[in-house]
PDB file of all heavy atoms in Angstrom:
ATOM      1  N   ASP A 273       2.418   5.861 -10.938  1.00  0.00           N
ATOM      2  CA  ASP A 273       3.370   4.769 -11.126  1.00  0.00           C
ATOM      3  C   ASP A 273       4.158   5.117 -12.381  1.00  0.00           C
ATOM      4  O   ASP A 273       3.599   5.183 -13.481  1.00  0.00           O
ATOM      5  CB  ASP A 273       2.612   3.455 -11.300  1.00  0.00           C
ATOM      6  CG  ASP A 273       3.549   2.264 -11.467  1.00  0.00           C
ATOM      7  OD1 ASP A 273       4.725   2.366 -11.057  1.00  0.00           O
ATOM      8  OD2 ASP A 273       3.104   1.227 -12.004  1.00  0.00           O
ATOM      9  N   ILE A 274       5.447   5.385 -12.204  1.00  0.00           N
ATOM     10  CA  ILE A 274       6.273   5.907 -13.297  1.00  0.00           C
ATOM     11  C   ILE A 274       7.418   4.963 -13.606  1.00  0.00           C
ATOM     12  O   ILE A 274       8.111   4.484 -12.702  1.00  0.00           O
ATOM     13  CB  ILE A 274       6.830   7.300 -12.928  1.00  0.00           C
ATOM     14  CG1 ILE A 274       5.681   8.288 -12.682  1.00  0.00           C
ATOM     15  CG2 ILE A 274       7.755   7.824 -14.032  1.00  0.00           C
ATOM     16  CD1 ILE A 274       6.136   9.651 -12.206  1.00  0.00           C
ATOM     17  N   GLY A 275       7.601   4.682 -14.877  1.00  0.00           N
ATOM     18  CA  GLY A 275       8.725   3.888 -15.347  1.00  0.00           C
ATOM     19  C   GLY A 275       9.552   4.691 -16.336  1.00  0.00           C
ATOM     20  O   GLY A 275       9.280   5.873 -16.579  1.00  0.00           O
ATOM     21  N   ALA A 276      10.515   4.044 -16.926  1.00  0.00           N
ATOM     22  CA  ALA A 276      11.412   4.742 -17.857  1.00  0.00           C
ATOM     23  C   ALA A 276      10.674   5.291 -19.069  1.00  0.00           C
ATOM     24  O   ALA A 276      11.091   6.285 -19.665  1.00  0.00           O
ATOM     25  CB  ALA A 276      12.519   3.787 -18.304  1.00  0.00           C
ATOM     26  N   GLN A 277       9.543   4.663 -19.431  1.00  0.00           N
ATOM     27  CA  GLN A 277       8.788   5.099 -20.605  1.00  0.00           C
ATOM     28  C   GLN A 277       7.760   6.178 -20.289  1.00  0.00           C
ATOM     29  O   GLN A 277       7.140   6.728 -21.201  1.00  0.00           O
ATOM     30  CB  GLN A 277       8.068   3.895 -21.237  1.00  0.00           C
ATOM     31  CG  GLN A 277       8.979   2.725 -21.577  1.00  0.00           C
ATOM     32  CD  GLN A 277      10.128   3.126 -22.472  1.00  0.00           C
ATOM     33  OE1 GLN A 277       9.942   3.820 -23.463  1.00  0.00           O
ATOM     34  NE2 GLN A 277      11.340   2.701 -22.107  1.00  0.00           N
ATOM     35  N   GLY A 278       7.564   6.471 -19.017  1.00  0.00           N
ATOM     36  CA  GLY A 278       6.594   7.500 -18.638  1.00  0.00           C
ATOM     37  C   GLY A 278       5.628   7.013 -17.569  1.00  0.00           C
ATOM     38  O   GLY A 278       5.918   6.058 -16.836  1.00  0.00           O
ATOM     39  N   ILE A 279       4.473   7.655 -17.485  1.00  0.00           N
ATOM     40  CA  ILE A 279       3.479   7.336 -16.448  1.00  0.00           C
ATOM     41  C   ILE A 279       2.655   6.129 -16.883  1.00  0.00           C
ATOM     42  O   ILE A 279       1.990   6.144 -17.910  1.00  0.00           O
ATOM     43  CB  ILE A 279       2.566   8.553 -16.194  1.00  0.00           C
ATOM     44  CG1 ILE A 279       3.400   9.746 -15.708  1.00  0.00           C
ATOM     45  CG2 ILE A 279       1.484   8.205 -15.179  1.00  0.00           C
ATOM     46  CD1 ILE A 279       2.628  11.059 -15.668  1.00  0.00           C
ATOM     47  N   LYS A 280       2.692   5.092 -16.039  1.00  0.00           N
ATOM     48  CA  LYS A 280       2.007   3.835 -16.357  1.00  0.00           C
ATOM     49  C   LYS A 280       0.640   3.727 -15.694  1.00  0.00           C
ATOM     50  O   LYS A 280      -0.268   3.106 -16.221  1.00  0.00           O
ATOM     51  CB  LYS A 280       2.868   2.646 -15.913  1.00  0.00           C
ATOM     52  CG  LYS A 280       4.236   2.598 -16.571  1.00  0.00           C
ATOM     53  CD  LYS A 280       5.056   1.430 -16.049  1.00  0.00           C
ATOM     54  CE  LYS A 280       5.501   1.663 -14.609  1.00  0.00           C
ATOM     55  NZ  LYS A 280       6.356   0.572 -14.088  1.00  0.00           N
ATOM     56  N   ARG A 281       0.543   4.314 -14.495  1.00  0.00           N
ATOM     57  CA  ARG A 281      -0.724   4.256 -13.766  1.00  0.00           C
ATOM     58  C   ARG A 281      -0.976   5.586 -13.072  1.00  0.00           C
ATOM     59  O   ARG A 281      -0.073   6.163 -12.470  1.00  0.00           O
ATOM     60  CB  ARG A 281      -0.714   3.142 -12.705  1.00  0.00           C
ATOM     61  CG  ARG A 281      -0.741   1.740 -13.264  1.00  0.00           C
ATOM     62  CD  ARG A 281      -0.689   0.708 -12.137  1.00  0.00           C
ATOM     63  NE  ARG A 281      -0.626  -0.656 -12.654  1.00  0.00           N
ATOM     64  CZ  ARG A 281       0.480  -1.265 -13.051  1.00  0.00           C
ATOM     65  NH1 ARG A 281       1.637  -0.627 -12.972  1.00  0.00           N
ATOM     66  NH2 ARG A 281       0.447  -2.490 -13.510  1.00  0.00           N
ATOM     67  N   LEU A 282      -2.215   6.047 -13.165  1.00  0.00           N
ATOM     68  CA  LEU A 282      -2.689   7.187 -12.385  1.00  0.00           C
ATOM     69  C   LEU A 282      -3.622   6.614 -11.330  1.00  0.00           C
ATOM     70  O   LEU A 282      -4.566   5.894 -11.654  1.00  0.00           O
ATOM     71  CB  LEU A 282      -3.469   8.173 -13.258  1.00  0.00           C
ATOM     72  CG  LEU A 282      -2.768   8.739 -14.490  1.00  0.00           C
ATOM     73  CD1 LEU A 282      -3.776   9.389 -15.408  1.00  0.00           C
ATOM     74  CD2 LEU A 282      -1.730   9.760 -14.057  1.00  0.00           C
ATOM     75  N   MET A 283      -3.362   6.916 -10.067  1.00  0.00           N
ATOM     76  CA  MET A 283      -4.182   6.369  -8.979  1.00  0.00           C
ATOM     77  C   MET A 283      -4.741   7.529  -8.163  1.00  0.00           C
ATOM     78  O   MET A 283      -4.010   8.206  -7.440  1.00  0.00           O
ATOM     79  CB  MET A 283      -3.336   5.413  -8.125  1.00  0.00           C
ATOM     80  CG  MET A 283      -2.885   4.177  -8.888  1.00  0.00           C
ATOM     81  SD  MET A 283      -1.530   3.234  -8.101  1.00  0.00           S
ATOM     82  CE  MET A 283      -0.133   4.305  -8.488  1.00  0.00           C
ATOM     83  N   TRP A 284      -6.054   7.773  -8.319  1.00  0.00           N
ATOM     84  CA  TRP A 284      -6.736   8.873  -7.652  1.00  0.00           C
ATOM     85  C   TRP A 284      -7.497   8.307  -6.455  1.00  0.00           C
ATOM     86  O   TRP A 284      -8.504   7.618  -6.618  1.00  0.00           O
ATOM     87  CB  TRP A 284      -7.724   9.546  -8.598  1.00  0.00           C
ATOM     88  CG  TRP A 284      -7.179  10.016  -9.906  1.00  0.00           C
ATOM     89  CD1 TRP A 284      -6.997   9.260 -11.038  1.00  0.00           C
ATOM     90  CD2 TRP A 284      -6.757  11.344 -10.234  1.00  0.00           C
ATOM     91  NE1 TRP A 284      -6.491  10.035 -12.047  1.00  0.00           N
ATOM     92  CE2 TRP A 284      -6.329  11.313 -11.601  1.00  0.00           C
ATOM     93  CE3 TRP A 284      -6.703  12.548  -9.525  1.00  0.00           C
ATOM     94  CZ2 TRP A 284      -5.853  12.454 -12.246  1.00  0.00           C
ATOM     95  CZ3 TRP A 284      -6.229  13.675 -10.171  1.00  0.00           C
ATOM     96  CH2 TRP A 284      -5.812  13.631 -11.518  1.00  0.00           C
ATOM     97  N   VAL A 285      -7.031   8.565  -5.251  1.00  0.00           N
ATOM     98  CA  VAL A 285      -7.737   8.122  -4.047  1.00  0.00           C
ATOM     99  C   VAL A 285      -8.704   9.240  -3.650  1.00  0.00           C
ATOM    100  O   VAL A 285      -8.286  10.316  -3.223  1.00  0.00           O
ATOM    101  CB  VAL A 285      -6.768   7.816  -2.895  1.00  0.00           C
ATOM    102  CG1 VAL A 285      -7.544   7.371  -1.648  1.00  0.00           C
ATOM    103  CG2 VAL A 285      -5.762   6.749  -3.309  1.00  0.00           C
ATOM    104  N   MET A 286     -10.001   8.988  -3.819  1.00  0.00           N
ATOM    105  CA  MET A 286     -11.020  10.002  -3.564  1.00  0.00           C
ATOM    106  C   MET A 286     -12.015   9.574  -2.481  1.00  0.00           C
ATOM    107  O   MET A 286     -12.768  10.390  -1.970  1.00  0.00           O
ATOM    108  CB  MET A 286     -11.772  10.314  -4.862  1.00  0.00           C
ATOM    109  CG  MET A 286     -10.847  10.752  -5.996  1.00  0.00           C
ATOM    110  SD  MET A 286     -11.670  10.957  -7.595  1.00  0.00           S
ATOM    111  CE  MET A 286     -12.477  12.541  -7.313  1.00  0.00           C
ATOM    112  N   ASN A 287     -12.010   8.298  -2.151  1.00  0.00           N
ATOM    113  CA  ASN A 287     -12.915   7.780  -1.122  1.00  0.00           C
ATOM    114  C   ASN A 287     -12.587   8.446   0.222  1.00  0.00           C
ATOM    115  O   ASN A 287     -11.473   8.283   0.741  1.00  0.00           O
ATOM    116  CB  ASN A 287     -12.736   6.261  -1.020  1.00  0.00           C
ATOM    117  CG  ASN A 287     -13.714   5.616  -0.061  1.00  0.00           C
ATOM    118  OD1 ASN A 287     -14.296   6.282   0.796  1.00  0.00           O
ATOM    119  ND2 ASN A 287     -13.897   4.315  -0.187  1.00  0.00           N
ATOM    120  N   PRO A 288     -13.531   9.200   0.808  1.00  0.00           N
ATOM    121  CA  PRO A 288     -13.244   9.889   2.079  1.00  0.00           C
ATOM    122  C   PRO A 288     -12.776   8.957   3.186  1.00  0.00           C
ATOM    123  O   PRO A 288     -11.984   9.352   4.041  1.00  0.00           O
ATOM    124  CB  PRO A 288     -14.589  10.534   2.432  1.00  0.00           C
ATOM    125  CG  PRO A 288     -15.292  10.695   1.110  1.00  0.00           C
ATOM    126  CD  PRO A 288     -14.883   9.488   0.300  1.00  0.00           C
ATOM    127  N   ALA A 289     -13.250   7.718   3.176  1.00  0.00           N
ATOM    128  CA  ALA A 289     -12.861   6.763   4.220  1.00  0.00           C
ATOM    129  C   ALA A 289     -11.368   6.432   4.156  1.00  0.00           C
ATOM    130  O   ALA A 289     -10.761   6.053   5.159  1.00  0.00           O
ATOM    131  CB  ALA A 289     -13.686   5.483   4.090  1.00  0.00           C
ATOM    132  N   LYS A 290     -10.759   6.569   2.981  1.00  0.00           N
ATOM    133  CA  LYS A 290      -9.323   6.331   2.824  1.00  0.00           C
ATOM    134  C   LYS A 290      -8.541   7.640   2.859  1.00  0.00           C
ATOM    135  O   LYS A 290      -7.411   7.684   3.351  1.00  0.00           O
ATOM    136  CB  LYS A 290      -9.055   5.607   1.496  1.00  0.00           C
ATOM    137  CG  LYS A 290      -9.665   4.227   1.400  1.00  0.00           C
ATOM    138  CD  LYS A 290      -9.355   3.573   0.068  1.00  0.00           C
ATOM    139  CE  LYS A 290      -9.978   2.187  -0.013  1.00  0.00           C
ATOM    140  NZ  LYS A 290      -9.668   1.497  -1.277  1.00  0.00           N
TER     141      LYS A 290
END
Side-chain angles (χ1 to χ4, degrees):
D273 181 21
I274 299 175
Q277 306 305 313
I279 299 170
K280 301 178 289 183
R281 290 178 184 83
L282 304 165
M283 295 164 284
W284 306 83
V285 179
M286 304 174 77
N287 185 341
K290 297 180 180 182

